[in-house]
Amino acid sequence: MHSTLRLAAAISLASLFSLSAQAADSKGSVEVVHWWTSGGEKAAVDVLKAQVEKDGFTWKDGAVAGGGGATAMTVLKSRAVAGNPPGVAQIKGPDIQDWAATGLLDPDVLKDVAKQENWDSLLDKKVADTVKYDGDYVAVPVNIHRINWLWINPEVFKKAGIDKAPTTLDEFYAAADKLKAAGFIPLAHGGQPWQDSTVFESVVLSVMGVDGYKKALVDLDENALTGPEMVKALTELKKVATYMDPDGKGQDWNLEAAKVINGKAGMQIMGDWAKSEWTLAKKTAGKDYQCVAFPGTEKAFLYNIDSLVVFKQKDKGTAAGQQDIARKVLGEDFQKVFSTNKGSIPVRNDMLADMAKHGFDACAQTAAKDFLADAKTGGLQPSMAHNMATTLAVQGAFFDVVTNYINDPKAEPADAAKKLYAAVKAAK
Ligand code: BGC
């Protein structure tokens, strides 16, 4: 069954609007479900909470731990099925359309705010389209993350005798070998499915290029998913995996980031929310750590747009709170402070065009420059691992095959490629 129908069927079993009483206070309260729970992520979301509370609303925090958001999505579905969706929730990419098709999102609550604040001209069309359903905004985009980054501790590199950041896969392996020989963990990595697939998609991009990535992970083309380039990408993935932290099974991404920050590991392949942990540890980009594109992906940008959807609610106070959140989120001040803490870049075009003026660091300036340049060349592609390219059902199929492949010592790349296609086809 198509995932939209699956979601709708589950939800129609329940009464849709058994709305729980909101906390009584003068301006109303709004519950926000999100998965920003690491130290750095929390520092970022606390900025929004403080701004909304300053405006007199009560922020009910619906944080659900679990990087990548799979647990939060499960919680959200059961809340919706129980007829008790929160006022606001972090949902991304094509899933926004699926949720909107169930009728549970509110296409009216953001209308005036979007018009008054000129969202159509503030946002790139690609960004705006992601958060619109039938022409109406059903979500507010918060920030833009890039996935294909490599995070490096330069002091560890120096100790291991490595003089520069790798720019090819071969240089990456050479650096990893030196790190290993010097007694460091070459690649900090938590073996959770979404983290495995974060590495997988960066390797696919490196080996197959932008066109190959798009055909395989966005268009889900059979030839691209099973062909020789995918087999090569899977072969490289297996090699990359040999350098992963042996203690990383099931580890959270931020605990692995801490190993690079504390000088136990040399590198981590992770989206730029990893920077939030470096920022929290008071480290400076370009000095205490390096952010470089994953080798072979300099001319591409796998994007991931965090957004907050609004669910229909009866309580008028909630609508006011939802609107206040939306207005704050796209405000210049929030865009700057949140992304500075979170490691992302703003969604506003005017800010992306002048990052230095807003005091963003070297990593963020590079990200914005690449985002704008890659948007022109086609190098800007949606992340599969972070819900931007496919529905959650298809993403789940990728996650299963990729994680099994990484963990099965006998797995063959050609066989895994066939399994990828079969699993994706069944999930469509
Ligand atoms: C989200 C980020 C979050 C990361 C780790 C990504 O999918 O877009 O906002 O920091 O997961 O949880």
Side-chain angles (χ1 to χ4, degrees):
M1 202 194 301
H2 185 272
S3 58
T4 303
L5 297 178
R6 254 195 305 256
L7 185 59
I11 288 160
S12 67
L13 293 173
S15 68
L16 299 185
F17 297 104
S18 78
L19 288 151
S20 57
Q22 301 287 341
D25 59 34
S26 56
K27 278 186 145 180
S29 79
V30 55
E31 183 181 7
V32 185
V33 166
H34 61 89
W35 65 89
W36 292 320
T37 54
S38 79
E41 290 173 326
K42 186 172 179 317
V45 76
D46 279 351
V47 172
L48 184 58
K49 181 171 179 254
Q51 293 196 357
V52 170
E53 284 179 345
K54 199 165 158 226
D55 286 348
F57 296 94
T58 302
W59 170 287
K60 284 173 71 185
D61 202 53
V64 180
T71 317
M73 287 306 105
T74 307
V75 168
L76 207 52
K77 273 183 201 154
S78 50
R79 293 268 315 254
V81 168
N84 179 32
V88 169
Q90 185 186 358
I91 299 181
K92 294 186 294 181
D95 272 320
I96 295 177
Q97 311 300 315
D98 280 2
W99 277 98
T102 66
L104 286 178
L105 303 189
D106 197 328
D108 295 324
V109 81
L110 298 180
K111 262 188 188 144
D112 289 348
V113 186
K115 211 177 275 158
Q116 286 156 10
E117 310 280 324
N118 261 323
W119 287 9
D120 278 343
S121 63
L122 280 184
L123 301 171
D124 186 87
K125 191 170 177 311
K126 214 169 199 160
V127 178
D129 285 349
T130 310
V131 291
K132 278 183 180 176
Y133 180 71
D134 267 353
D136 292 322
Y137 285 97
V138 288
V140 56
V142 181
N143 61 343
I144 300 168
H145 277 300
R146 184 189 204 172
I147 307 303
N148 51 313
W149 284 114
L150 180 68
W151 303 89
I152 292 174
N153 183 325
E155 211 182 292
V156 172
F157 261 39
K158 211 163 136 204
K159 284 185 189 152
I162 310 160
D163 53 10
K164 73 178 203 36
T167 56
T168 62
L169 281 176
D170 283 342
E171 285 178 15
F172 173 86
Y173 301 138
D177 282 331
K178 285 192 176 164
L179 288 165
K180 205 180 213 169
F184 296 104
I185 300 164
L187 187 63
H189 178 81
Q192 298 169 344
W194 73 270
Q195 294 185 60
D196 292 341
S197 278
T198 297
V199 174
F200 164 69
E201 69 180 15
S202 288
V203 174
V204 166
L205 183 64
S206 174
V207 173
M208 300 179 70
V210 170
D211 286 350
Y213 174 91
K214 180 173 180 300
K215 278 192 196 130
L217 301 197
V218 184
D219 303 339
L220 310 177
D221 173 83
E222 178 174 4
N223 291 335
L225 280 169
T226 56
E229 284 198 324
M230 178 56 81
V231 175
K232 167 113 171 62
L234 287 164
T235 307
E236 299 292 353
L237 177 66
K238 204 66 169 175
K239 186 155 182 193
V240 170
T242 62
Y243 298 104
M244 287 173 175
D245 180 6
D247 296 327
K249 289 278 162 277
Q251 278 286 13
D252 289 336
W253 66 272
N254 49 313
L255 300 181
E256 290 297 315
K259 294 183 185 172
V260 193
I261 298 171
N262 298 335
K264 290 199 174 71
M267 308 184 273
Q268 183 179 26
I269 302 164
M270 186 51 67
D272 42 18
W273 50 89
K275 205 177 87 180
S276 66
E277 298 302 304
W278 290 91
T279 306
L280 193 71
K282 308 241 173 310
K283 305 286 183 188
T284 306
K287 182 171 141 273
D288 303 315
Y289 65 99
Q290 264 183 298
C291 55
V292 294
F294 181 72
T297 72
E298 295 75 11
K299 298 248 172 324
F301 190 117
L302 294 186
Y303 69 88
N304 169 25
I305 303 165
D306 282 318
S307 36
L308 295 172
V309 306
V310 287
F311 278 94
K312 283 180 183 160
Q313 308 272 294
K314 253 189 216 148
D315 190 301
K316 291 287 165 265
T318 308
Q322 289 168 316
Q323 286 159 348
D324 189 64
I325 289 180
R327 197 170 275 118
K328 284 279 152 336
V329 161
L330 277 187
E332 212 177 275
D333 178 55
F334 172 80
Q335 284 285 308
K336 183 191 155 165
V337 186
F338 183 82
S339 269
T340 301
N341 284 317
K342 187 77 170 52
S344 47
I345 55 174
V347 273
R348 287 176 54 141
N349 284 331
D350 56 343
M351 295 177 75
L352 285 170
D354 203 349
M355 296 285 283
K357 178 181 129 192
H358 294 284
F360 282 100
D361 68 16
C363 297
Q365 289 191 34
T366 305
K369 189 168 78 27
D370 290 352
F371 178 84
L372 296 173
D374 296 340
K376 292 197 182 108
T377 61
L380 187 61
Q381 291 295 327
S383 158
M384 177 280 291
H386 293 277
N387 324 14
M388 299 304 300
T390 70
T391 60
L392 286 186
V394 170
Q395 185 202 53
F398 274 113
F399 281 14
D400 285 350
V401 176
V402 168
T403 290
N404 285 335
Y405 171 70
I406 287 183
N407 290 307
D408 178 358
K410 291 201 205 90
E412 290 294 335
D415 188 43
K418 284 198 198 103
K419 283 189 179 140
L420 262 189
Y421 177 67
V424 163
K425 196 173 157 207
K428 269 206 261 183

